[in-house]
């Protein structure tokens, strides 16, 4: 991305004026918070970087109402600290991908960046994703118009679908300025049941059975042997809540899963570290010279898909989260664009019957030539384009981030 300059609007009115002027002049804009997710998505071609870090601070927090509002440039670490002081949390467990993406030191990013990315951690299997907790927002569209949607209470459905659109839009629809989230009480106790030595098929069967149980499992993951220097595969289930409830559910779950062997128990700080590593994709951190892929599909098919990937790509390294619904995958990096395309096509063929594949980390030249996001069916792609045009008719926000620019398509066809 070739940037000649950067701007840091002091407030949302200054931001609206900046975007309005850019739209009139045809200047393309890239949006940046902390830069923790820089390098994720297609390379952006913009004339100006718009930094949101001045749009900072918690504007409303009512712990008794489980509602928090903050400006988009507020560091996520500040949000989580404020919530922790009141024994609360963002239930969807947003990941910190800064180290995975080579942006070490930038932290987990900002509240706006988290929302625009729409990524969730291990607790998604119980509480859903970012879009399920976003109550409302304020933003500036590609015309430079300030608008808002949603509200401060869970039952307010005004603009609810519009809020969902913002999650995972990567800044291509609007620049977020303020967000309101539903928050939840943090668990009193965390306990993880850990089985060792299970192959993928057995691990998948265990996770599937656990998620069908009434024990309210809040996370389920499987890390194969050798992926992070450990010689033994680990399959983990997390239970959270009040201490007595957690212990009772752990006992019942061990009884239900006794055919899989007897698990170890890890609690509190050790359990928190384990799931933080899963959340932040730490098992793949050592694979610095590799493409990183994120594969989502039906949870019960996770173990089978891991086996298929391993058969087609013997050098691949991967682990499962979301009870098999999410596979994090590292494959050998190459500067051969055709070889990279073949990797993408092979992975997307595996999820043809359900799911999608995202290229999370690769050099810019590869991300420009290989579809980063899973291609949409033609009808859905046309709908997405109409939605984008309604927010940003001149296509000045994050140009090229999610789909190639028209001239890029033309170059590819020649």
């Amino acid at each position: 991305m070739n940037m000649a300059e950067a701007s840091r609007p002091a407030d949302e009115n200054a931001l609206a004026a900046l975007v309005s002027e850019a739209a009139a002049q045809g200047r393309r804009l890239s949006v940046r918070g902390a830069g923790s997710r820089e390098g994720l998505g297609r390379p952006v071609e913009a004339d100006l970087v718009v930094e949101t870090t001045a749009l900072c601070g918690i504007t409303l927090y009512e712990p008794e109402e489980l509602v928090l509002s903050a400006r988009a440039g507020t560091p996520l670490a500040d949000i989580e600290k404020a919530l922790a002081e009141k024994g609360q949390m963002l239930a969807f467990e947003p990941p910190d991908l800064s180290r995975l993406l080579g942006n070490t030191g930038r932290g987990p990013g900002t509240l706006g960046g988290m929302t625009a990315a729409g990524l969730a951690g291990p607790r998604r299997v119980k509480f859903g994703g970012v879009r399920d907790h976003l109550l409302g927002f304020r933003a500036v569209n590609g015309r430079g118009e300030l608008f808002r949607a949603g509200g401060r209470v869970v039952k307010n459905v005004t603009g609810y679908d519009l809020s969902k659109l913002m999650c995972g839009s990567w800044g291509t629809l609007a620049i977020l300025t303020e967000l309101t989230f539903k928050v939840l009480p943090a668990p009193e106790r965390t306990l993880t049941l850990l089985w060792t030595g299970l192959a993928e098929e057995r691990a998948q069967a265990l996770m599937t059975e656990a998620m069908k149980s009434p024990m309210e499992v809040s996370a389920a993951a499987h890390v194969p042997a050798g992926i992070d220097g450990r010689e033994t595969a680990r399959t983990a289930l997390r239970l959270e809540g009040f201490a007595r409830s957690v212990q009772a559910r752990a006992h019942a779950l061990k009884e239900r899963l006794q055919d899989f062997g007897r698990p170890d128990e890890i609690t509190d700080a050790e359990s928190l570290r384990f799931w933080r590593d899963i959340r932040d994709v730490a098992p793949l951190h050592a694979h610095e010279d590799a493409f990183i892929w994120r594969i989502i599909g039906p949870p019960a098919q996770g173990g089978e898909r891991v086996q298929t990937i391993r058969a087609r790509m013997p050098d691949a390294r991967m682990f499962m989260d979301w009870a098999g619904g999410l596979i994090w995958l590292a494959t050998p990096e190459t500067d051969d664009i055709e070889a990279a395309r073949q990797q993408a096509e092979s992975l997307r063929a595996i999820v043809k019957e359900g799911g999608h594949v995202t290229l999370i980390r690769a050099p810019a030249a590869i991300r420009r030539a290989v579809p980063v996001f899973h291609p949409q069916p033609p009808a859905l792609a046309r709908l997405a384009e109409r939605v984008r045009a309604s927010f940003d008719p001149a296509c000045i926000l994050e140009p090229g981030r999610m789909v190639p620019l028209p001239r890029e398509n033309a170059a590819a066809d020649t």
Side-chain angles (χ1 to χ4, degrees):
M1 181 169 60
N2 184 18
M3 298 292 184
E5 54 183 307
S7 179
R8 189 169 178 260
D11 54 40
E12 61 183 14
N13 290 325
L15 173 63
L18 183 154
V19 176
S20 178
E21 182 180 359
Q25 297 174 350
R27 301 188 76 195
R28 301 167 300 180
L29 306 177
S30 176
V31 187
R32 184 169 66 201
S36 63
R37 297 173 187 83
E38 193 169 319
L40 206 165
R42 301 188 73 260
V44 175
E45 295 192 20
D47 305 303
L48 179 69
V49 176
V50 180
E51 298 180 346
T52 63
T53 49
L55 306 175
C56 183
I58 295 173
T59 56
L60 176 142
Y61 181 27
E62 297 180 353
E64 66 282 358
E65 299 294 335
L66 301 177
V67 172
L68 178 144
S69 298
R71 296 186 181 93
T74 308
L76 191 55
D78 292 355
I79 301 291
E80 292 179 330
K81 180 181 178 181
L83 291 173
E85 290 173 353
K86 297 295 185 180
Q88 296 182 340
M89 64 178 181
L90 293 171
F92 48 87
E93 215 166 355
D96 178 358
L97 300 184
S98 57
R99 181 175 174 183
L100 184 75
L101 296 171
N103 301 322
T104 303
R106 300 184 185 181
T110 61
L111 190 66
M114 175 203 77
T115 306
L119 302 176
R123 208 180 278 118
R124 188 187 187 282
V125 294
K126 182 177 180 182
F127 290 107
V130 181
R131 67 204 304 261
D132 301 299
H133 297 260
L134 179 62
L135 299 177
F137 67 92
R138 294 171 63 89
V140 174
N141 65 19
R143 298 182 178 88
E145 301 166 337
L146 179 63
F147 69 102
R148 62 180 298 173
R152 284 175 43 193
V153 294
V154 176
K155 292 182 180 179
N156 186 347
V157 297
T158 303
Y160 187 61
D161 288 340
L162 198 57
S163 294
K164 289 181 182 293
L165 277 177
M166 293 298 124
C167 299
S169 64
W170 294 98
T172 61
L173 300 180
I175 302 177
L176 297 166
T177 62
E178 187 174 7
L179 302 120
T180 299
F181 277 94
K182 172 179 65 177
V183 300
L184 291 179
E188 176 184 285
R189 179 85 186 281
T190 297
L191 182 149
T192 296
L193 301 179
L194 192 67
W195 284 260
T196 58
L198 298 182
E200 274 81 14
E201 299 94 331
R202 291 285 286 167
Q204 184 62 70
L206 182 150
M207 292 190 293
T208 300
E209 183 64 24
M211 297 309 297
K212 290 192 300 184
S213 78
M215 309 311 172
E216 297 184 351
V217 174
S218 68
H222 174 73
V223 184
I227 188 173
D228 56 356
R230 297 176 183 263
E231 297 180 358
T232 306
R234 292 165 292 159
T235 309
L237 304 175
R238 181 173 64 186
L239 298 168
E240 298 178 303
F242 294 109
R244 291 181 63 181
S245 171
V246 167
Q247 205 59 51
R249 284 183 283 134
H251 176 76
L253 196 56
K254 285 189 284 187
E255 289 293 313
R256 185 182 182 112
L257 301 173
Q258 59 183 318
D259 290 346
F260 295 93
R262 187 171 183 81
D264 296 324
E265 291 187 8
I266 57 176
T267 60
D268 300 323
E270 187 179 358
S271 178
L272 291 172
R273 283 194 297 271
F274 178 89
W275 291 105
R276 183 184 61 225
D277 286 348
I278 296 296
R279 180 197 73 182
D280 298 343
V281 202
L284 299 184
H285 284 175
H287 302 274
E288 296 179 355
D289 296 323
F291 295 151
I292 302 295
W293 309 81
R294 185 173 181 263
I295 304 173
I296 294 177
Q301 297 179 15
E304 180 182 348
R305 286 181 170 180
V306 166
Q307 292 290 340
T308 302
I309 294 169
R310 185 172 289 124
R312 297 185 184 183
M313 302 177 175
D315 295 330
R317 297 292 181 268
M318 69 204 94
F319 70 94
M320 292 187 286
D321 194 4
W322 299 358
L326 169 61
I327 299 172
W328 284 102
L329 169 69
T331 60
E333 185 177 297
T334 174
D335 57 5
D336 185 331
I337 290 175
E338 185 55 37
R341 283 177 175 158
Q342 289 176 3
Q343 282 192 29
E345 290 172 3
S346 180
L347 293 172
R348 286 171 179 136
I350 292 171
V351 303
K352 185 176 181 181
E353 301 305 319
H356 58 270
V357 178
T358 304
L359 178 56
I360 294 293
R361 189 184 75 191
I366 298 297
R367 288 184 286 114
R368 187 173 288 109
V370 176
V372 169
F373 300 100
H374 200 93
Q376 296 175 321
L380 185 57
R382 289 192 295 270
L383 176 61
E385 182 56 34
R386 289 199 297 270
V387 169
R388 168 158 184 160
S390 68
F391 283 92
D392 180 23
C395 196
I396 66 168
L397 300 179
E398 293 289 307
R401 170 72 74 186
M402 297 192 73
V403 296
L405 298 173
R407 60 179 179 77
E408 290 183 288
N409 280 328
D413 293 340
T414 59

